[in-house]
C-alpha cells in the first residue's frame, strides 16, 4: 500500500522524542552474566535507556509535547492522535491513546491505538496520512509511540534473539499546507506485509487465556526457535527478510522519484537509516537488502538507544531533523528510513529536508 503519491497534498512532519536519562550499560550486563561476549559483539551497542519511573504513555506525552513545541502548534489544533506500542502500557483493559490525547491537551482530537508490533510507527503514520490526504483541511495529526520493557515481565537483554530493547517515546506532528521551519517533507511511505510469517512470535501449540500464562517473562526466543525449525532454518528466513526489505525500499524510492544512487545530490539519497537491531542484523539483512536498491550509505543509530519497540522509525526521523545532531539532513537532501515488525510488516519512508 502506497501513500503520499501523485496528486496527494504535500505532507510535512515535525518529529520529536523523549528518552529517559537513566541507562543500563552493556559492560555491566556482560559482567553480570545477562549477556555473552558474543552477543555483545554481534549487537555493538553501548547502552539501553531505562525508565525508572514514567510509564510508556507518560513518556509518550513528553515526546508529544516536544514535537508540538518544535512545530509551534497548540495541542488544541490537532484533529487526531495515533498512538502505537509493542508492549504493556501500564493497565490491562484500557486505551493508552486516549490517555496520551487527554494529557497532551488534544481534547478535540480523535485518538486511535495501533498495535502492529515494531512497525507501529509506520502503521500509525500511514493511518495519519490517509486522514490528511482525505481531509487536507481538517487539521494536523499527531503520531506517538512509547514502550517500557520493564521486569518482571520483560528481560530487555535476553528476551529475544538479536534484539536489545530500550525504553523511550517518539512523536511526530504531521500536516498539510505551510510547513513549520525545519520540517521534513514526506515524499513516500510504502508498506508491505507477509501475514503467513505471524507464527514467529506465537506459541503454535495453544492460545492462552491471559498474559504470562505460558511463562512469567516474555520469551521471544522460544517462539522464534520453533518457527525457524518449521520454516527451514535461519538462512531461509533471513533471505525472505532481505527480499521484502529490498522490495519496500525500491517501491518507496520509485514513488519519491529518486533513482537509487546515493551521494546526496539532486535525485539521490543522503542515507538509509535502519531499524535499531544491531551490528549483525545490519550486516546480514539490512546492508545487503539496501545494497540491492541503492549505494547510499546505511546507518544504525541504536548504539545508545537499543531497539525502541514501535519507535525506531520516528526516532530516526527525529535524528534527521535535529539541527544540532550528527545525522542532520541538509536542506533539500533526501533520506530513507526503514521499519519492520513482527507479523511481518515492512515500511519505508522517504523524506526531504525543507
Amino acid at each position: 500500500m502506497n501513500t503520499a503519491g501523485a496528486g496527494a497534498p504535500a505532507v510535512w512532519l515535525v518529529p520529536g522524542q523523549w528518552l529517559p536519562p537513566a541507562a543500563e550499560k552493556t559492560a555491566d550486563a556482560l559482567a553480570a552474566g545477562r549477556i555473552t561476549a558474543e552477543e555483545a559483539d554481534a549487537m555493538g551497542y553501548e547502552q539501553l535507556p531505562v525508565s525508572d519511573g514514567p510509564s510508556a504513555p507518560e513518556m509518550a506525552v513528553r515526546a508529544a509535547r516536544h514535537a508540538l513545541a518544535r512545530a509551534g502548534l497548540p495541542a488544541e489544533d490537532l484533529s487526531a492522535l495515533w498512538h502505537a506500542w509493542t508492549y504493556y502500557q501500564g493497565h490491562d483493559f484500557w486505551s493508552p491513546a486516549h490517555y496520551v490525547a487527554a494529557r497532551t491537551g488534544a481534547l478535540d482530537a480523535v485518538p486511535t491505538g495501533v498495535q502492529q508490533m515494531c512497525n507501529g510507527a509506520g502503521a500509525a503514520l500511514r493511518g495519519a496520512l490517509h486522514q490528511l490526504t482525505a481531509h487536507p483541511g481538517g487539521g494536523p495529526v499527531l503520531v506517538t509511540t512509547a514502550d517500557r520493557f520493564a521486569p518482571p515481565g520483560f528481560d530487555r537483554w535476553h528476551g529475544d534473539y538479536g534484539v536489545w530493547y530500550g525504553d523511550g517515546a517518539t512523536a511526530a506532528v504531521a500536516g498539510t499546507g505551510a510547513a513549520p521551519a525545519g520540517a521534513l517533507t514526506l515524499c513516500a511511505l510504502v508498506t508491505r506485509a507477509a501475514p503467513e510469517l505471524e507464527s514467529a512470535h506465537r506459541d503454535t501449540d495453544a492460545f492462552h487465556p491471559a498474559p504470562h500464562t505460558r511463562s512469567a517473562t516474555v520469551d521471544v526466543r522460544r517462539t522464534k526457535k520453533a518457527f525457524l525449525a518449521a520454516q527451514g532454518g535461519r538462512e531461509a528466513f533471513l533471505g525472505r527478510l532481505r527480499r521484502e526489505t529490498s522490495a519496500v525500499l525500491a517501491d518507496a524510492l520509485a514513488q519519491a522519484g529518486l533513482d537509487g544512487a546515493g551521494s546526496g545530490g539532486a535525485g539521490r539519497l543522503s542515507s538509509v537509516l535502519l531499524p535499531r537491531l544491531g551490528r549483525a542484523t545490519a550486516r546480514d539483512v539490512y546492508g545487503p537488502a539496501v545494497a540491492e536498491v541503492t549505494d547510499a550509505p546505511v546507518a544504525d543509530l541504536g548504539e545508545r538507544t537499543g531497539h525502541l519497540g514501535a519507535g525506531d522509525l520516528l526516532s530516526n526521523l527525529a535524528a534527521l531533523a535535529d539541527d544540532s545532531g550528527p545525522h542532520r539532513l541538509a536542506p533539500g537532501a533526501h533520506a530513507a528510513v526503514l521499519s519492520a515488525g513482527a507479523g511481518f510488516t515492512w515500511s519505508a519512508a522517504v523524506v526531504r529536508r525543507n
Side-chain angles (χ1 to χ4, degrees):
M1 175 67 188
N2 300 344
T3 55
V11 172
W12 51 260
L13 301 171
V14 177
Q17 66 179 357
W18 187 87
L19 302 179
E24 293 182 5
K25 303 292 186 180
T26 300
D28 294 336
L30 182 60
R34 299 182 67 182
I35 56 174
T36 66
E38 292 76 13
E39 289 169 334
D41 182 68
M43 190 61 56
Y45 287 173
E46 176 185 336
Q47 67 176 36
L48 301 178
V50 175
S51 174
D52 56 7
S55 68
E58 288 172 320
M59 291 190 290
V61 171
R62 299 182 187 193
R65 290 172 176 166
H66 177 59
L68 285 165
R70 290 194 66 245
L73 291 173
E76 293 84 356
D77 287 357
L78 296 171
S79 62
L81 182 145
W82 296 71
H83 176 65
W85 67 93
T86 68
Y87 186 56
Y88 190 61
Q89 296 288 286
H91 292 281
D92 294 335
F93 198 64
W94 173 67
S95 173
H98 286 73
Y99 175 93
V100 176
R103 293 304 177 95
T104 302
L107 300 183
D108 292 326
V110 177
T112 301
V114 177
Q115 221 292 347
Q116 204 188 67
M117 300 301 286
C118 299
N119 190 57
L125 185 58
R126 183 171 176 262
L129 292 178
H130 279 232
Q131 177 169 337
L132 288 168
T133 54
H135 305 285
V141 176
L142 179 66
V143 174
T144 61
T145 79
D147 278 296
R148 183 187 183 204
F149 300 100
F154 207 104
D155 183 341
R156 68 180 71 251
W157 296 96
H158 194 68
D160 199 349
Y161 284 123
V163 188
W164 291 351
Y165 293 82
D167 299 342
T170 68
V173 184
T176 57
L184 303 172
T185 295
L186 185 64
C187 302
L189 177 65
V190 175
T191 297
R192 52 190 290 132
E196 67 273 19
L197 303 179
E198 56 80 24
S199 61
H201 292 75
R202 173 171 61 85
D203 286 318
T204 55
D205 54 346
F207 284 87
H208 310 307
H212 299 295
T213 300
R214 179 67 167 79
S215 60
T217 302
V218 173
D219 187 358
V220 186
R221 295 188 177 211
R222 181 184 70 247
T223 61
K224 281 186 176 179
K225 184 177 181 180
F227 172 81
L228 292 175
Q231 292 289 320
R234 179 176 179 271
E235 287 307 314
F237 180 56
L238 294 184
R240 179 68 183 274
L241 299 183
R242 287 190 290 266
R243 292 191 298 274
E244 296 290 349
T245 299
S246 295
V248 76
L249 178 58
D251 286 350
L253 294 184
Q255 185 183 110
L258 300 180
D259 61 14
S263 72
R268 298 171 181 263
L269 281 178
S270 294
S271 61
V272 180
L273 302 188
L274 309 180
R276 300 177 183 191
L277 302 175
R279 178 187 295 152
T281 301
R283 179 194 65 219
D284 297 339
V285 177
Y286 288 104
V290 170
E292 288 290 325
V293 180
T294 175
D295 60 359
V298 300
D300 176 346
L301 307 188
E303 181 181 1
R304 296 180 62 81
T305 71
H307 179 49
L308 294 172
D312 283 1
L313 186 150
L314 294 187
S315 185
N316 282 337
L317 290 178
L320 294 173
D322 182 1
D323 286 332
S324 62
H327 300 283
R328 173 184 180 270
L329 190 61
H334 294 80
V337 180
L338 296 174
S339 175
F344 272 73
T345 313
W346 296 263
S347 289
V350 178
V351 295
R352 181 182 70 251
R353 182 68 185 267
N354 290 342

